[in-house]
Amino acid sequence: MAVITITKLTKQFGGLIAIENLDIEVKEQSIHSVIGPNGAGKTTLFNCMTGFYRPEIGDIRLDDHSLVGLLPDQIVRHGIARTYQNIRLFPDLTAMENILVGMHSHLRSGYFGIVLGLPTTRKEEQKANEEALRLLKFVNLAGKGDLLAKNLPYGNQRRLEIARALATRPKVLCLDEPAAGMNPKESQDLMDFIRHLRDVLGITILLIEHQMRVVMGISEKVTVLDYGKKIAEGTPTEVQCDPRVIEAYLGRGSATQPCAA
Amino acid sequence: MLQRIRERLNPTDIVMWSIGGILLIMICWGSVATLVKGVYSTHHWIDFIIFGLAQGSVYALIAMGYTMVYGVLRMINFAHSEVFMSGPYTAYYFAAYFYRSGLLESHPVISMVLVFIISMATSTLIAYLLELIAYRPLRGAPRLVPLITAIGASFFLQYVFKGLYGSGFQAYPVVKALEGHLMVGPIRILKFQILVIVAAAILMVALYQFTQRTRLGKALRSVSEDKEASALMGIDVDRMISMTFMIGGAAAGAAGVLYAIMFKQVHFFMGFIPGIKAFTAAVLGGIGNIPGAMLGGIFLGLVESVGPSLFLDGLGIVAPYQLKDAIAFSLLVLVLIFRPTGILGERLAVKKA
Amino acid sequence: MNPALTQRFPGIRLGLIGGVSLVLLSLIGMVETFNQREIISDLISMGQTLLLLTAVFIAYLAAKRGREHGRAQVFGASITAGLIMAGMLTLLVLLGQAINMRQVFINASPVLFQILIFQQEELWAGIGLLLLAGALIGFSAALLCLLPHWLRRVITTGLCSVAGVGLLQDLIAPILSDWSLLADFTDLLFPGNGLSISGAVGLFIVVAALSALWSFRGQALQTRIKALPPQSRRGLNFAALLAGALVMLVLPQVLGLFLSEVMTIVGLYILLGLGLNIVVGFAGLLDLGYVAFFAIGSYTVAILTSPELGFFDWNFWQALPLAVLFGVLAGVILGVPVLKMRGDYLAIATLGFGEIIRIMVLSDFLRPWLGGAQGIGKIPKAAIGGFEFATPQEIYYLILAGCALVGFISWRLRDSRLGRAWMAVREDEDVAQAMGIELVATKLLAFATGAGFSALSGAIFATKLGSVYPHSFNVMISINILCVIIVGGMGSMPGVAVGAIALVGLPELLREFAEYRLLVYGAALMAMMLLRPEGLWPEATRQRELHEEEDAVRASKLAEGSAGPRS
């Protein structure tokens, strides 16, 4: 069952076609990767999906609901959350507050409830705090909740960003190069963590990644983009053997490497 | 289905467009009513237009500084109005000296050129110091920080000049050669208005040619396109930014003398209103766009001088000229709301995500 | 300037910068104006203190720069800087003797030059003294630089408190002499204009000793308070709060009429600042037209209550809710169109709106309703039962109540879902939106809340003054309030109070200062942004995790398995 269906998606910037006639189906509870060389349109795809860009042609559907033309805040309420290639936390808020901001759309307390300190508001805050603490623990940041986000080390910031995205209670989590700048050990941990996320929370994960080891290690399906077009799709092994992928993405020299299949 | 419609209909857009619609209807109605009433003769309208052109060319010259600085640093140089004020205020003392010594009478051209040079030099110096002391240390700071610094610098400079030169209005000496009027065909134009329009036009063309033709001008433009790439090409970015401020300052200094010739007085607070209006002009033309700033300035000048009589008189508003600043500010707000990219479109896109 | 030369002698560059600053301070008239107030009787005046502090600061910087080049350079650099600064003042004096600068620089008076040469009859003797003073300043700055950190702090604290007490003599002396016990002591401390020499020395010793004690024992005390169990710490906080509230309540009775008037002005600015703090500090929306809502509040009360216009005949309490409501409505109406703009455009658009409103109020067109340039007078005072809020001491309570209310609401909002949304928008608008925050609605709430608070202060302002004029609502007020919150610390509520006291209270006490108020505001804005963007009293980071320790224990039992939202 596809949770996300993208049909005939096209996005242009002036004369430049960033994405052209793209069709992607993302299966529910799968780990689906989108790869491609620099400038292939991967991040543009994320931006279209999360409402930052409005595509010219085509449709993006979450379950049966079209997302084209919606604002980012409406889309996140439908259940797509994302992280950013170059981490974009709220630097001067604490880790806890970052997560609590993620819960924004699930909290109901209104203006007067807040000012008057109504019991429902208090209870809700209390529960939100507890859930934020759980999420902190879930991403291994317990005890660091009161640190400002900008003071956390790089790896922690990555995980905090994921926690913040999870706080929106997404059906689909879009991770934009989560392993960027990590060493092999760290990216191995990250792979385990992503798999754990999916298994425990049952959400769908859409992944943009540069590190081939990460992509091949955890993806169930891989879509390869080049110049905004889909050039291949399939299981990691299938994609690895596709000559077009090898030429476009891995480079000509890689064609000589023995294929796993 | 209902939810889909609700999600896609944006209430703020509806409010905005209805405000715009109402204003447009009022403007049209007012104009038609004024013209039907026929209070003003053709001569009046021609006078309004020429005055608007003269005032507009001064705005255009000041707007140059806003637009160029915005182009390279993406910041509103709020203190530019004080750069504008500093030149003519300083030059006033020289003009007064020339007047007392009789030089202004015997050699009006030489003395006026000297006054221009002094004014431009002062404004250039102030602009240079402003960038060096207040803005340079803040490169890469969050967006609000340089803007607040600029607001601070603006008030600081105003009151430094107030402290130095006093708080009174100083009457600029009158040049005999600029009194009276000329007949251009059937149209009567005051002489000083001709000077203002011609001088502003020459300066603007020179400035535009400078940025388009010379090596330095090209370097300036490349810095405003992409600072990192320019630095890699061997352009000294800091020097170019300084240069931008200085050129904007020189234009403002010249504009200041023209302004003083038109309104015949200088004051430490004289920069504030023309400053905001020139900024309006820059936004009108599309900020970061030099020809746009010129067009925007002249357009604003015309609207301001023709507008009160044309739009408001017909609506039965008493003393419409009192509201001329309100018209300029309304224009600013409207442009910012409905077409923030300006008439000619700004060259800068907002970067997202 | 030759870069190699300034590399070798770090004092030269700083000396030149300092020299220009000192000459500027003299020429804009600050030195002469401030000279009427003596800090220490017959020894040093406020004008001289101003020059001295600037010079010592620059020389100290030079000494520090010199230290990077080795110990020997410390004295060299700072004495060079001191001499250059004195030299430039000397040049100014000589120039003033040679030509009459007053035609251009109105403040370059003979009185100024007399001050600069220490009132010496003989010009050259004065200049010699000036240069000697420069060298001495350099020398002492270098010594200060070489002292250990704690000793330096003790000395600077002592000197600053002497300067501060001397500065605020008009405030301190009358209060002290009210207590009969202290009257003799006051006479000893303030014999006439300024501190007595013995008083100054005594004060220095006492403060320095206290400061030294604190630097050795303070750390221990702080850790002891921190080590207290949460209950007693909370009790301590509560006690401090209670004591603070009590002091605030009796303050006007102690302070007398003039100081109460100053307090009401400061209080109004705190009220305004708390409102703008929500807009600028929390939500990061730079609103330069904030004064418009202040005007709307004032005019609503004026129109509804003043018999001069004769439309309505309401009392203050009936008009107040309507004033706030109109403020909020205006905030929403103006907010909807402008809040879609990016940050710097927003500032200019709101500035434009503020000016439009002022021009409209001033115009003849709306005169029958708004009174034009003459404004509206005869606004009745607020009254509860038979008690009328008429004198500053009474109005103080009105403003205090307003501040308490607004402070409470701000505090509640800050630690809520809404406050977090505002701060998220401030930090990164795009990401905030991607986290499910509706940008326009969220910003609008901030804008409207701020507008409501501003209108509330406007209403109080109208009844305090008894009349409203369009000139009370120019753009300077917006800038003043912006200064207050930036100097205090954006987003910080105690910061607003600190900012208002420093920027509004002090100038009211130091009348000479009034002329230079906006100059200092401008300089303060720049200096804060360049040197200390977080403000004097920065916003505290909220401790959520520690406070919730008990919850954490409970939560850990539920832990990972159920962490997920959709499991």
Side-chain angles (χ1 to χ4, degrees), chain C residues 378-436:
Chain C
K378 294 198 188 133
I379 299 167
K381 299 286 172 204
I384 298 178
F387 182 76
E388 202 175 48
F389 293 96
T391 66
Q393 274 141 317
E394 290 153 5
I395 288 172
Y396 169 87
Y397 289 108
L398 199 60
I399 292 173
L400 188 66
C403 285
L405 176 74
V406 167
F408 178 75
I409 294 177
S410 308
W411 169 67
R412 272 279 164 84
L413 288 173
R414 192 192 65 169
D415 286 335
S416 74
R417 158 181 186 263
L418 209 54
R420 289 191 298 267
W422 286 336
M423 284 182 266
V425 169
R426 176 188 75 194
E427 302 277 301
D428 192 330
E429 211 172 294
D430 296 330
V431 180
Q433 195 178 20
M435 288 297 124

Side-chain angles (χ1 to χ4, degrees), chain B residues 12-13 70 76 93 147-149 152 155 159-160 163-164 166 269 276 279 287 322 325 329 336-337 346, chain C residues 28 103-107 286 337 340-342 344-345 348 351 356 359 363-364 440 476 486 518-519 522 529:
Chain B
T12 53
D13 284 345
Y70 200 95
I76 299 171
Y93 292 97
L147 182 59
I148 292 171
T149 312
F155 286 94
Y159 285 84
V160 162
L164 287 178
F269 205 64
I276 297 181
F279 175 76
I287 201 153
Q322 285 181 342
D325 287 353
F329 291 132
L336 286 176
I337 294 170
E346 66 187 298
Chain C
I28 58 176
Q103 274 181 342
V104 179
F105 300 115
I106 54 160
N107 285 309
L286 190 54
K340 288 193 100 177
M341 291 170 203
R342 49 180 133 129
D344 37 6
Y345 277 14
I348 299 289
L351 180 74
I356 291 172
I359 293 168
S363 71
D364 288 341
V440 174
M476 291 305 158
I486 281 171
L518 279 154
L519 181 113
M529 286 295 116

Side-chain angles (χ1 to χ4, degrees), chain A residues 73-121:
Chain A
D73 52 296
Q74 295 170 324
I75 289 178
V76 78
R77 257 169 269 148
H78 280 293
I80 298 183
R82 72 173 291 184
T83 66
Y84 296 83
Q85 192 175 337
N86 41 347
I87 306 173
R88 285 175 79 172
L89 289 164
F90 303 116
D92 282 313
L93 300 189
T94 64
M96 278 288 278
E97 283 167 332
N98 266 281
I99 296 177
L100 286 167
V101 168
M103 290 177 194
H104 182 85
S105 47
H106 297 283
L107 304 181
R108 288 277 152 264
S109 47
Y111 197 88
F112 293 100
I114 292 167
V115 170
L116 300 175
L118 295 183
T120 44
T121 307

Side-chain angles (χ1 to χ4, degrees), chain A residues 33-68:
Chain A
S33 293
V34 178
I35 63 171
N38 277 330
K42 301 173 306 245
T43 300
T44 307
L45 174 67
F46 267 27
N47 283 337
C48 287
M49 286 176 60
T50 49
F52 277 115
Y53 296 155
R54 194 193 177 119
E56 276 78 30
I57 310 170
D59 199 8
I60 302 169
R61 287 179 170 276
L62 176 73
D63 295 329
D64 277 331
H65 208 100
S66 171
L67 302 177
V68 174

Side-chain angles (χ1 to χ4, degrees), chain C residues 91-110:
Chain C
L91 281 181
L92 178 69
V93 172
L94 289 178
L95 197 67
Q97 301 293 330
I99 55 169
N100 179 12
M101 291 199 288
R102 270 195 111 168
Q103 274 181 342
V104 179
F105 300 115
I106 54 160
N107 285 309
S109 62

Side-chain angles (χ1 to χ4, degrees), chain C residues 299-327:
Chain C
Y299 268 91
T300 309
V301 165
I303 291 168
L304 291 176
T305 63
S306 168
E308 208 169 70
L309 289 172
F311 296 130
F312 303 92
D313 189 22
W314 295 17
N315 69 36
F316 175 76
W317 301 108
Q318 289 165 319
L320 182 68
L322 217 61
V324 175
L325 188 71
F326 279 172

Side-chain angles (χ1 to χ4, degrees), chain B residues 130-152:
Chain B
L130 181 69
E131 192 272 332
L132 186 72
I133 297 169
Y135 303 150
R136 188 169 292 185
L138 294 176
R139 298 274 155 76
R143 207 189 45 216
L144 232 46
V145 169
L147 182 59
I148 292 171
T149 312
I151 294 171

